[in-house]
Amino acid sequence: RMTKLTDGTTGGPPPLYVDPMDDSVSVAFGAVPERLAIVRDGRVEYLGGAGPMDYNLDQAFAALDKL
């Protein structure tokens, strides 16, 4: 089960979901290769390269700055 860290209703950061340490979500959905994604209102705003070798944090942060 994924864990929701915040409900986003306090004016703080948007909801963030985290795969537990046992990687059960990754195993269940075959999340290979990993990718960094930014999803806003159900729409993918940014989808990074296949990870971990093609992660580009500068691009991800720039995409967040545009939102």
Side-chain angles (χ1 to χ4, degrees):
R1 136 182 167 254
M2 286 200 311
T3 302
K4 186 175 182 180
L5 296 181
T6 177
D7 65 7
T9 61
T10 61
L16 175 65
Y17 296 90
V18 179
D19 193 4
M21 292 301 293
D22 66 2
D23 259 352
S24 58
V25 175
S26 179
V27 170
F29 294 99
V32 175
E34 296 174 350
R35 291 184 181 264
L36 298 176
I38 299 169
V39 180
R40 181 177 184 188
D41 297 325
R43 181 177 169 198
V44 177
E45 299 286 344
Y46 172 82
L47 182 61
M53 301 308 287
D54 289 328
Y55 286 165
N56 187 320
L57 293 177
D58 291 334
Q59 283 181 354
F61 287 128
L64 284 172
D65 287 341
K66 291 179 183 178
L67 297 179

